[in-house]
Amino acid sequence: MLIKKYLVSAIAAGMVITGSQAFAQDIDKTSINYVGSWSSLSLYKNFERPFWQDHIPEASDGQISTEVTTFDQMGLGGGEVYRLMGRNVIEVTSTVADYAVEDAPELEGLDMPMIAPDVETARKVAEAYRPVLADAFSERFDKAQLLAIVPYPSQMVFCNTEISGLSDLKGKKVRASGRTTAEFLQAIGAEGITLNFSEVPGALQRGVIDCAVTGSLSGYSSGWNEVSTHLYPLPVGGWDHVVTAMNGKKWSSLSSETQEWLMAEVRENYEDPVWEAAVEETKEGIACLTGEGECTRGEAGDMVLVEATDEDFSEASRHLEETLLPNWANRVDQEWVDRWNETIGSVTGLKAAK
């Protein structure tokens, strides 16, 4: 019985290997140039670079070779990479969706303050909106193909001044992570400041700004705890989704088998792991910033963790419905508003209207 069981398992394993090799032979012999997001942050170090630099060549059995860099290593700010992709300067790229809203305001619909207070809702929102984003990328960036949507850890507020809640941000100069976040800050009486991510620590230290919004782990990785005293965990910046796309010329050059294979690999070995890590990375980021909990990434900071109250959540949600959604609806055509309501609206119970 044991011998029979072993033979069956061995045959099955052989079939899997044979099938895998046969499928790899169906993949195009090609190369992919990938431009990723911020090189210093966990998303790139732990997920983007390993996936594109190592996994894709290995999983394709050497059929696909890759060259990998990031927009900051290229001296870019991040907001222009989709535009360069649409012009066939870049083949595949990832950046924070909020960085590119001037080129494609439809991207703003994906992530606004308080649309998704937890990662489970954030993923439902992203999945619902995926077909809308795919059409927006194709239309805005010369038939570009949407590949992936992943989150940074929850986007919270770092302050180099004492605060005790949402109302204390009134009158403060706060670096916003995107246009809708800046509008939210303005709605609560703060001043939303546009500032490149890499410039934030110096601005906090010099008092140019009082506070800044980013992900918990992103802030820790970039040393924001060294120039900030108070951490406010309400996700006023949403999840700062990073969206990956391939230019249309490159996508159309791939066979349907290669396209299908690549989409499956992206989904299973990049998107899913990032979403699964989002909750723990948010928690560990807070632990590393405040010293409250276990930090495995280095020496923990001692920032004061400010509790977000039910009243704060209600106030933030009110501004989303009364200000942010109408403002966004007025920046896009009615077609996109209708599709937002049919997708994200159906998930959240919210409605956008001009």
Side-chain angles (χ1 to χ4, degrees):
M1 181 63 72
L2 287 173
I3 294 174
K4 181 179 180 182
K5 183 177 180 180
Y6 173 79
L7 287 173
V8 169
S9 298
I11 293 169
M15 290 175 65
V16 169
I17 293 171
T18 302
S20 175
Q21 289 175 338
F23 193 71
Q25 291 170 4
D26 293 335
I27 297 172
D28 297 332
K29 183 75 173 177
T30 188
S31 62
I32 292 177
N33 294 322
Y34 175 76
V35 178
S37 63
W38 293 105
S39 61
S40 63
L41 300 185
S42 171
L43 178 62
Y44 176 73
K45 289 180 176 180
N46 296 335
F47 298 100
E48 291 177 66
R49 183 172 60 192
F51 177 78
W52 290 103
Q53 184 171 283
D54 303 322
H55 179 78
I56 287 298
E58 291 172 4
S60 68
D61 199 21
Q63 288 293 98
I64 299 178
S65 61
T66 60
E67 291 186 13
V68 176
T69 187
T70 64
F71 59 69
D72 58 306
Q73 290 172 335
M74 293 176 66
L76 302 174
E80 65 274 65
V81 292
Y82 295 146
R83 203 179 317 133
L84 294 172
M85 175 192 66
R87 296 171 183 166
N88 297 317
V89 177
I90 294 173
E91 289 185 340
V92 182
T93 191
S94 298
T95 194
V96 178
D98 281 346
Y99 291 0
V101 297
E102 294 294 338
D103 292 328
E106 300 82 12
L107 295 177
E108 285 180 298
L110 172 64
D111 186 39
M112 297 185 195
M114 299 309 297
I115 277 185
D118 55 69
V119 72
E120 291 81 9
T121 306
R123 186 155 200 188
K124 289 178 183 177
V125 163
E127 291 300 329
Y129 203 55
R130 182 185 290 266
V132 184
L133 276 187
D135 288 347
F137 267 86
S138 179
E139 183 175 312
R140 294 284 186 178
F141 303 112
D142 195 19
K143 300 180 180 178
Q145 173 67 35
L146 175 69
L147 296 181
I149 306 168
V150 298
Y152 273 123
S154 179
Q155 302 293 296
M156 49 194 66
V157 184
F158 294 67
C159 287
N160 197 17
T161 184
E162 184 176 354
I163 62 168
S164 59
L166 186 66
S167 61
D168 287 339
L169 295 180
K170 184 176 181 180
K172 300 285 194 300
K173 292 175 289 185
V174 186
R175 180 263 183 182
S177 54
R179 182 162 59 187
T180 53
T181 304
E183 290 179 347
F184 171 77
L185 292 167
Q186 184 178 346
I188 64 173
E191 181 183 355
I193 304 293
T194 300
L195 199 62
N196 191 294
F197 179 84
S198 61
E199 298 173 353
V200 170
L204 281 167
Q205 191 170 34
R206 296 192 307 272
V208 175
I209 55 176
D210 302 300
C211 308
V213 176
T214 196
S216 58
L217 194 56
S218 302
Y220 175 75
S221 299
S222 300
W224 288 23
N225 56 296
E226 298 172 7
V227 291
S228 305
T229 58
H230 287 65
L231 180 68
Y232 180 61
L234 192 76
V236 300
W239 295 86
D240 246 12
H241 294 82
V242 171
V243 180
T244 305
M246 176 181 284
N247 76 43
K249 182 179 179 180
K250 182 66 178 181
W251 179 254
S252 63
S253 74
L254 302 178
S255 67
S256 58
E257 291 84 3
T258 303
Q259 291 175 348
E260 183 179 349
W261 177 86
L262 182 60
M263 292 296 287
E265 290 294 329
V266 168
R267 180 76 170 190
E268 296 170 15
N269 294 295
Y270 173 61
E271 276 189 303
D272 287 347
V274 175
W275 279 102
E276 289 167 9
V279 172
E280 291 307 315
E281 289 204 341
T282 296
K283 290 179 181 177
E284 184 165 14
I286 293 174
C288 289
L289 291 164
T290 64
E292 298 184 19
E294 183 180 2
C295 177
T296 64
R297 298 171 186 262
E299 185 177 350
D302 59 356
M303 293 183 70
V304 175
L305 183 63
V306 179
E307 182 180 357
T309 65
D310 290 341
E311 183 179 347
D312 288 347
F313 273 91
S314 297
E315 182 71 2
S317 297
R318 180 176 70 82
H319 289 301
L320 168 64
E321 295 187 55
E322 294 181 1
T323 304
L324 305 186
L325 283 173
N327 284 357
W328 173 73
N330 285 323
R331 288 195 286 269
V332 297
D333 293 339
Q334 185 62 44
E335 170 199 355
W336 302 106
V337 177
D338 292 341
R339 294 187 69 185
W340 190 95
N341 288 326
E342 293 165 1
T343 54
I344 294 178
S346 67
V347 171
T348 61
L350 296 167
K351 184 176 182 180
K354 290 182 178 291

